[in-house]
Amino acid sequence: MLTIRQLAVQALSNLPVQGQTTLPVDAEARAILRNWLLAARRGTTAAPAPAPVAADSMLQTVEQKLAWLQQKAESWRAARALGTLRDTMVFATGNPHARLMLVGEAPGYEEEQQLEPFVGPAGQKLTQILSAMGLKRSDVYISNICKFRPSMGPQQLKANRAPSDDEIAACLPIIQAEIRAIQPACIVCLGGTAARGLLGHAASVASQRGKWFDYSGIPTRVTYHPSYLLRNDTLTARRSVWEDMLAVMQQLSMPISQKQLNFFK
C-alpha cells in the first residue's frame, strides 16, 4: 500500500500537466511537500524541510521541466485511450529559452520517422521562412498541438491527416505545460488546428491572420501553416505569411532590414 507521502508525490507530479501550478497551503505545508517531491526525484528519503521559497517554479530548470513533460507525453493516458493516434510520440525541438515559439498541428510521416517536428517538406518551408527572418531553427522553439501522428488505419503509409477536436483536447495539456515552462515572448500558431487548440478559434486562418491575440498574457499571431504554402504557392499567400512574420519581428524588437521590408513589394 502506498504511503501518504508517496500518494502526495504522485499527485504533485501530475499537477503541472493538469494546468495547476500552485496549491492553497500554508508555508509550513508547502515546505514539507516540496521536500517530499525533491527527495522522490533524488531517490532519497526526506530530509528536514527547507525554508519556503517564493515559487514552485524554482524547483526545476526549463530543461528539466521539458524533460519531465516529454516523459509524461510518452505514456499520456488521454491520448493513448482514444485509439485514433499512432504510437510514436514526437515532442518538440529548438531552444527552450527562445523568445519565439511556433506551434503546428501534429507530426506527419517524416516527423514520425525522425522524431522531430517540421522536418518534412513543410518543415523545410518553415526553415526558409525563419532564415528570411534572420533566425535558425535552434533560435526558436517548435512544437505541435498534437504529439502523435493521427492514424488512418493499417494502410496509412505516408498519408497524413489533421487531428480531430478530441485528439487536440487529449494532447492540449502537454502543449499548455510547455508554454508555461518556456514562457516565450511571442507565439505563432501555424495553421487553423493550432489556433483552434490554443485560442479556441474555429474561424478560418484568413479571418484570423493579420491580428494579435492573447494566450495567457503572451502575444499570439495566427498565420498559414507552411504546408498551405506548398499547396498554394502564390504571391498573395507568401506575402500574407511574410506580413505576419514581420509583425512578429516588430513585436520582438528584432532588427528589420529594408530588404526584408520590401520582399514582396
Side-chain angles (χ1 to χ4, degrees):
M1 181 180 295
L2 294 177
T3 65
I4 291 176
R5 188 172 79 191
Q6 289 170 325
L7 290 170
V9 167
Q10 284 185 358
L12 288 170
S13 297
N14 287 327
L15 288 180
V17 178
Q18 295 167 357
Q20 187 171 344
T21 57
T22 59
L23 281 176
V25 295
D26 60 31
E28 183 179 0
R30 182 183 295 274
I32 292 170
L33 292 172
R34 181 181 292 107
N35 191 48
W36 285 359
L37 187 59
L38 286 171
R41 288 172 181 157
R42 291 193 300 263
T44 62
T45 56
V53 294
D56 290 336
S57 60
M58 294 178 67
L59 285 174
Q60 299 172 306
T61 65
V62 174
E63 289 82 359
Q64 288 171 325
K65 290 178 182 178
L66 292 176
W68 182 82
L69 279 171
Q70 184 169 358
Q71 184 180 22
K72 286 291 180 183
E74 285 281 3
S75 57
W76 190 240
R77 187 178 303 174
R80 298 293 190 186
L82 290 174
T84 60
L85 296 169
R86 291 169 62 90
D87 291 336
T88 302
M89 193 276 294
V90 180
F91 193 64
T93 189
N95 182 359
H97 300 281
R99 299 179 66 226
L100 175 58
M101 180 172 181
L102 301 125
V103 181
E105 58 178 35
Y109 172 79
E110 289 86 358
E111 288 74 19
E112 190 179 58
Q113 296 299 305
Q114 299 186 44
L115 300 180
E116 184 175 325
F118 284 94
V119 293
Q124 294 168 18
K125 177 63 70 174
L126 178 60
T127 300
Q128 292 171 7
I129 294 169
L130 291 173
S131 179
M133 297 170 69
L135 296 170
K136 302 184 295 294
R137 287 172 66 97
S138 58
D139 294 324
V140 301
Y141 186 87
I142 306 172
S143 193
N144 279 313
I145 284 285
C146 188
K147 299 300 184 186
F148 301 86
R149 183 183 174 203
S151 175
M152 298 175 69
Q155 303 303 317
Q156 182 167 359
L157 301 177
K158 295 185 178 182
N160 300 311
R161 67 169 175 84
S164 67
D165 287 344
D166 286 343
E167 291 162 348
I168 293 170
C171 292
L172 193 57
I174 299 292
I175 190 71
Q176 289 172 332
E178 281 181 88
I179 293 171
R180 287 195 299 273
I182 295 165
Q183 285 297 299
C186 182
I187 298 172
V188 175
C189 292
L190 297 169
T193 299
R196 190 161 77 251
L198 285 188
L199 302 173
H201 295 174
S204 67
V205 173
S207 66
Q208 296 181 71
R209 61 154 303 274
K211 308 170 187 175
W212 283 106
F213 299 96
D214 180 281
Y215 175 82
S216 295
I218 302 171
T220 301
R221 197 85 171 184
V222 178
T223 195
Y224 293 110
H225 193 281
S227 63
Y228 176 84
L229 297 180
L230 297 177
R231 300 189 305 270
N232 301 274
D233 188 20
T234 64
L235 180 62
T236 299
R238 286 183 280 126
R239 179 186 286 123
S240 295
V241 172
W242 185 242
E243 287 172 353
D244 290 324
M245 292 308 178
L246 281 178
V248 168
M249 293 173 70
Q250 291 170 343
Q251 178 67 35
L252 295 173
S253 299
M254 293 173 58
I256 300 175
S257 68
Q258 201 62 40
K259 179 181 177 180
Q260 289 170 320
L261 280 175
N262 295 327
F263 265 168
F264 295 102
K265 291 184 179 180

